[in-house]
Amino acid sequence: MKIEYFHASKHGNGAKVAEEFQRQMAAKGVTVNVHHVKHAKPKEIPPADLYVFGSPGRFGKPIGDMRGFLKKANLPSGVKYAVLVTELAPEPEKAIRIPTSEEELGKCQRVIPVINEMLQEKGLVKVAEGKIFVTGIKGPLEPNWQKEVEAFVAKIPISP
Ligand SMILES: Cc1cc2nc3c(=O)[nH]c(=O)nc-3n(C[C@H](O)[C@H](O)[C@H](O)COP(=O)(O)O)c2cc1C
């Protein structure tokens, strides 16, 4: 089984998540090729059994680089994908407040839904989705983030 993983990490947290995913999958005998979208050609995506897309959040959406990449991406209809994003950990004490300003509204999270919409329009089939939280605006990753990656890995169907 071969996985191609495309991410758009800006501050390095998502890149670490991609590396950890690659490491855990290697232990299961699965090859994962990791690419930053900035260095990947959306029209020349290598064939794979599964594609993973990883993006940080930006004002409730995937970062622009990822949206641009997905818009142009030449991906075969019917192929499987999974999405693993990094998002700012919710603050429970603020959870019941109703957003009033444009800035606050921007915090409404649609990072995974936007990725799903863009890929499903192209006919891709979702097999898993997951979030790894960061505790500050630019990181670091939440404690035990490797365990969260493990939980995501467990959702990926592995074929021989
Ligand atoms: C300008 C800006 C806007 C952000 N907006 C969001 C957001 O809407 N939702 C969210 O979960 N995180 C948001 N974040 C935090 C990112 O999720 C965080 O920077 C990212 O997950 C870190 O991953 P990276 O190191 O791979 O870039 C924002 C960060 C910046 C700098």
Side-chain angles (χ1 to χ4, degrees):
M1 184 183 183
K2 183 168 83 94
I3 298 178
E4 298 290 332
Y5 190 127
F6 295 92
H7 71 84
S9 175
K10 177 90 178 175
H11 302 292
N13 301 280
K16 274 193 198 168
V17 168
E19 254 175 50
E20 179 65 16
F21 178 86
Q22 185 182 46
R23 194 187 66 76
Q24 292 189 21
M25 278 296 184
K28 294 176 186 277
V30 178
T31 305
V32 181
N33 299 315
V34 177
H35 317 262
H36 194 290
V37 292
K38 275 203 165 159
H39 309 298
K41 295 197 170 102
K43 300 285 182 209
E44 294 169 31
I45 294 184
D49 302 294
L50 174 80
Y51 295 96
V52 181
F53 298 95
S55 178
R58 279 297 179 280
F59 306 107
K61 289 185 183 168
I63 198 166
D65 279 350
M66 179 53 82
R67 279 183 285 136
F69 181 80
L70 293 180
K71 207 170 171 183
K72 293 190 208 136
N74 210 351
L75 289 157
S77 177
V79 80
K80 292 180 189 142
Y81 80 92
V83 50
L84 183 58
V85 301
T86 54
E87 287 186 4
L88 196 55
E91 293 174 65
E93 69 274 19
K94 288 188 184 165
I96 54 160
R97 286 187 52 223
I98 296 164
T100 49
S101 66
E102 194 70 1
E103 192 196 328
E104 284 194 82
L105 278 167
K107 288 180 185 155
C108 298
Q109 296 288 38
R110 296 205 68 246
V111 189
I112 291 179
V114 169
I115 293 177
N116 283 337
E117 278 164 24
M118 295 185 83
L119 292 171
Q120 287 168 16
E121 251 172 42
K122 292 178 192 269
L124 276 79
V125 179
K126 188 179 71 182
V127 296
E129 62 179 44
K131 285 180 190 186
I132 311 293
F133 289 122
V134 293
T135 53
I137 196 90
K138 295 180 181 176
L141 292 158
E142 62 183 336
N144 288 325
W145 62 274
Q146 289 97 336
K147 284 265 165 224
E148 298 300 323
V149 176
E150 207 176 306
F152 177 74
V153 163
K155 293 193 230 168
I156 306 285
I158 294 175
S159 53

